[in-house]
Amino acid sequence: MTVKVTASLDNFELGKKAALDGEIDKARDFLRPIADANPYHPAAFFLCQVESRKGILNNCEKYCLTFLSKHPQHAGMRTISALLHIAKGDIRQAEVELKIALNTNPKHQRALNVRQQVVWLRSQEEARNALEIITAVEASKLSKLKAARHLKKIYPADDWDNHELQAKVAYFHNSANIKQALKSFEPELVEKAVELGYCTWPKKIQRHVKGKRVLDVGCGFGGYAFGYLCAGAKSYTGIDPAMPLSEKRMRNKRIRQWVEVPRSAQEIASSIEDIELLQTSTHELLDKSTFDVICLHNVTEHLSDIRSIFSDIAKLMSKNGKLIYLHHNFYGWSGHHMAPHNPSVLDTNNPEHLKFCDWNHINIVEDLPKDHYLHTNLNQLRVGELRKLTQEFFKIKTWELRPSPDNVLKRITTDIIEKVQSVLPDITIEELETNAVFCIANAR
């Protein structure tokens, strides 16, 4: 009898250590027989602890309730019980379980962490309820305004640009004028902005555009409009001389393909007060309006008349206004918009890929026909030239050379550098390694 008890104790200690070390299979081998024989034994808790930490909750349920019937104040098992209720969607009961756990041990770290999770889930439930009121046809204006004000108090997730619900929360949370935000809210267009990847860039520069009047130069199809509103822009004006106002299609930035969209740029601009989409140029805007922030996202490399456009932008800026641009470097790995875009999709059997990859486009560009994309759509500005030109019209506050991914950088060799320098003797390794330039500048 003594031998059996000793062996059981030894197995428990070995299982407990394995559980604490996260060795789930070993913990199961030692702890499950003990827990099955005596579900009140601490082995049941340590088994549930390692299972739940690995995200496996279905095995915990059969032990949890029985264990708590004898140890009702056990903070650890109460926390696991809360996780079980969360998995079932019962947030209210999870809150009850955590209250018991933290009354027993106010400093129980896992219970505190799970309580944060519950607070988050509760806020998301409240967000969904508020959005249902806002989109309900039968809801009164007063109830919709109250719901919008409640959304203003809810914090969106850090990655709200990747989640439709979170982007809608961000739209109201970041707005400076709730009544105006409610008036301009179009849930379908917020969803499209997230789906097609048009919230990511506005989110990255959110602290600069929140509460500001934004001009987006070279906006293409106006896809960024709701991305900027979700980031808190006071208003959005997108201009592009080539913008097809009546077309109902847009480029999906996540998959690099054209897709159908529910409304044309013209329909969006005519129905939403905070959005203006114009088939026009910077020059035609002069003396009509000014803007707090003027953005160009992967546009500067396409501007053949960039000096005159920078001159216009300087005049379109309000006092203390900002210019923000992301410039795609022509002298990076494969040139702009030429396949392959990244070594991960390089097909060495494809002669077109081999023509442009590994900086080879720099050596062959002058031999390409004059109507080739590299000549007709790209100004081929060097990084130094771009900086000098920017300084002519603006005071640069931020100038970041953003390097290419590691899988690109590791492909650069001495032979490649020498080959490129045979046509551009002054080009540096840093310029070849640069994927993009991020710039923030103020008017002079």
Side-chain angles (χ1 to χ4, degrees), residues 209-263:
V209 303
K210 189 174 181 179
K212 306 297 184 182
R213 294 167 298 155
V214 172
L215 172 65
D216 188 12
V217 177
C219 69
F221 287 73
Y224 282 116
F226 262 94
Y228 276 103
L229 293 187
C230 288
K234 183 178 181 180
S235 64
Y236 173 89
T237 299
I239 64 169
D240 196 315
M243 187 192 304
L245 293 172
S246 60
E247 284 195 23
K248 293 184 178 181
R249 70 184 195 121
M250 197 174 290
R251 187 170 174 79
N252 186 323
K253 289 189 168 293
R254 297 188 187 276
I255 61 174
R256 298 176 181 268
Q257 291 180 7
W258 293 97
V259 296
E260 297 296 318
V261 291
R263 283 189 247 176

Side-chain angles (χ1 to χ4, degrees), residues 11 62 98 101 115-116 126 149 169 175 195 198 220 253 255 288 318 342 393 421 433 442-443:
N11 286 349
K62 69 176 183 178
L98 290 169
R115 185 174 67 177
Q116 287 183 335
E126 292 173 358
R149 284 174 173 160
V169 173
S175 174
E195 178 190 342
Y198 284 97
K253 289 189 168 293
I255 61 174
K288 295 180 181 178
S318 62
N342 189 281
F393 299 96
Q421 288 180 338
E433 291 179 338
N442 295 336

Side-chain angles (χ1 to χ4, degrees), residues 239-407:
I239 64 169
D240 196 315
M243 187 192 304
L245 293 172
S246 60
E247 284 195 23
K248 293 184 178 181
R249 70 184 195 121
M250 197 174 290
R251 187 170 174 79
N252 186 323
K253 289 189 168 293
R254 297 188 187 276
I255 61 174
R256 298 176 181 268
Q257 291 180 7
W258 293 97
V259 296
E260 297 296 318
V261 291
R263 283 189 247 176
S264 68
Q266 195 169 43
E267 290 170 335
I268 292 170
S270 63
S271 63
I272 300 171
E273 190 174 315
D274 292 333
I275 294 174
E276 190 174 25
L277 297 169
L278 304 170
Q279 189 181 42
T280 191
S281 67
T282 52
H283 194 70
E284 291 171 332
L285 274 187
L286 295 178
D287 300 322
K288 295 180 181 178
S289 188
T290 58
F291 301 89
D292 304 315
V293 180
I294 300 178
C295 301
L296 299 91
H297 183 258
N298 287 351
V299 173
T300 47
E301 64 269 21
H302 296 291
L303 303 176
S304 58
D305 55 346
I306 187 170
R307 176 174 272 100
S308 64
I309 290 174
F310 272 12
S311 176
D312 293 341
I313 287 172
K315 296 168 188 172
L316 288 166
M317 275 188 183
S318 62
K319 187 178 179 180
N320 301 321
K322 289 181 181 179
L323 164 70
I324 302 178
Y325 66 72
L326 187 72
H327 172 88
H328 193 286
N329 180 28
F330 175 78
Y331 300 91
W333 185 66
S334 65
H336 193 47
H337 288 322
M338 304 309 299
H341 303 289
N342 189 281
S344 62
V345 293
L346 171 61
D347 179 0
T348 55
N349 294 316
N350 186 332
E352 286 299 307
H353 279 205
L354 297 178
K355 183 188 293 186
F356 296 105
C357 75
D358 287 339
W359 297 269
N360 198 46
H361 65 288
I362 299 172
N363 291 85
I364 68 167
V365 64
E366 292 305 319
D367 299 325
L368 295 172
K370 293 305 177 185
D371 61 351
H372 191 278
Y373 179 86
L374 295 190
H375 292 300
T376 60
N377 285 273
L378 297 170
N379 54 35
Q380 300 178 32
L381 269 179
R382 296 281 296 276
V383 169
E385 293 171 334
L386 178 63
R387 183 177 183 125
K388 184 178 179 181
L389 184 61
T390 305
Q391 287 174 323
E392 283 186 34
F393 299 96
F394 312 97
K395 295 178 182 178
I396 295 176
K397 298 298 182 182
T398 300
W399 182 265
E400 295 178 7
L401 300 185
R402 296 185 171 178
S404 297
D406 289 341
N407 64 342

Side-chain angles (χ1 to χ4, degrees), residues 2-212:
T2 304
V3 174
K4 285 186 178 181
V5 171
T6 302
S8 179
L9 287 172
D10 288 344
N11 286 349
F12 169 66
E13 291 301 326
L14 289 169
K16 176 182 174 181
K17 184 179 185 306
L20 294 173
D21 291 341
E23 298 177 36
I24 189 167
D25 291 333
K26 190 174 180 181
R28 284 169 173 168
D29 289 342
F30 287 116
L31 297 176
R32 186 171 287 165
I34 302 172
D36 286 343
N38 181 4
Y40 307 112
H41 193 281
F45 164 67
F46 284 104
L47 179 60
C48 289
Q49 185 182 52
V50 70
E51 295 262 2
S52 62
R53 288 193 183 279
K54 296 292 183 180
I56 305 168
L57 288 167
N58 56 317
N59 293 336
C60 300
E61 193 162 10
K62 69 176 183 178
Y63 300 113
C64 191
L65 189 62
T66 303
F67 184 89
L68 286 172
S69 67
K70 191 170 183 179
H71 309 286
Q73 305 303 314
H74 194 283
M77 193 62 102
R78 282 290 175 189
T79 302
I80 293 169
S81 179
L83 289 169
L84 285 165
H85 287 293
I86 290 172
K88 295 175 182 177
D90 190 346
I91 305 302
R92 188 194 65 78
Q93 189 57 42
E95 290 171 330
V96 171
E97 298 294 317
L98 290 169
K99 185 176 181 180
I100 297 171
L102 290 169
N103 281 341
T104 302
N105 182 0
K107 295 183 179 180
H108 193 281
Q109 192 56 55
R110 195 178 190 196
L112 291 169
N113 292 341
V114 175
R115 185 174 67 177
Q116 287 183 335
Q117 181 183 349
V118 167
V119 169
W120 168 255
L121 291 171
R122 175 67 76 188
S123 72
Q124 300 317 292
E125 183 178 67
E126 292 173 358
R128 281 188 286 269
N129 292 338
L131 286 165
E132 284 182 9
I133 293 171
I134 288 170
T135 55
V137 176
E138 67 278 7
S140 68
K141 288 183 179 180
L142 185 60
S143 62
K144 289 186 178 187
L145 181 58
K146 184 178 178 180
R149 284 174 173 160
H150 185 67
L151 283 169
K152 172 73 175 173
K153 299 176 183 178
I154 297 175
Y155 285 85
D158 289 340
D159 59 344
W160 60 259
D161 55 313
N162 293 316
H163 303 281
E164 293 175 3
L165 173 63
Q166 299 308 315
K168 292 171 186 175
V169 173
Y171 174 86
F172 286 101
H173 178 78
N174 294 323
S175 174
N177 187 326
I178 286 297
K179 287 185 178 180
Q180 187 61 32
L182 187 59
K183 189 177 179 181
S184 296
F185 183 55
E186 293 283 352
E188 182 182 35
L189 296 179
V190 173
E191 291 164 10
K192 275 296 172 186
V194 172
E195 178 190 342
L196 304 182
Y198 284 97
C199 287
T200 301
W201 164 248
K203 179 182 174 294
K204 286 179 179 177
I205 59 172
Q206 180 177 340
R207 68 188 183 94
H208 301 290
V209 303
K210 189 174 181 179
K212 306 297 184 182

